[in-house]
Amino acid sequence: MKSLQAIAASLLIAISAPLYAQTTAPMTSAEVRKVDKDAKKITLRHEQIKSLDMPAMTMVFQVREPAMLEQVKAGDKVRFSAEKLDAGYTVMHIEMEGR
C-alpha cells in the first residue's frame, strides 16, 4: 500500500502537468507567422506533417488551449504537434525550438 505522502505527490504531479502537453502526435518544426488570441488561432509556416499527410505550407490552426498563445509571438521558431479534430486542424502542444 502506498503511503499517503506518495499518493499526494503523485496527485500533485498529475494535476500540475498541462493538459495540452499530453499528446502522441510527432512534433514538427515551424515558424510562427501570426497569433490571434481573440480567435484562439495561430498561423504557422510548417514543415511536412507526415501524421496528417500534409505537405509543408503556411496555414491557420486552432489551439487546444488558449494559454498556448501566451507562450509565442510572430517570428518565433517552434516545434508543435497537431491533430485533426471535429473543429479542424488543432495544435495540441507547442514549445520553443531547442527546448
Side-chain angles (χ1 to χ4, degrees), residues 47-82:
E47 295 180 349
Q48 177 184 16
I49 306 174
K50 292 180 183 180
S51 63
L52 297 175
D53 196 26
M54 184 182 294
M57 67 175 76
T58 300
M59 69 177 283
V60 178
F61 290 87
Q62 305 281 338
V63 292
R64 182 173 177 188
E65 296 290 331
M68 291 179 190
L69 301 177
E70 300 298 329
Q71 302 174 35
V72 297
K73 64 183 181 319
D76 284 347
K77 304 287 188 205
V78 297
R79 292 185 49 77
F80 75 103
S81 63

Side-chain angles (χ1 to χ4, degrees), residues 24-44:
T24 58
M27 301 291 276
T28 302
S29 293
E31 179 182 337
V32 177
R33 305 300 271 175
K34 181 180 177 184
V35 175
D36 187 341
K37 293 177 185 175
D38 293 333
K40 300 176 186 144
K41 294 181 180 181
I42 187 168
T43 304
L44 298 171

Side-chain angles (χ1 to χ4, degrees), residues 4-17:
L4 185 55
Q5 287 177 329
I7 293 170
S10 295
L11 287 173
L12 181 60
I13 290 169
I15 63 173
S16 65

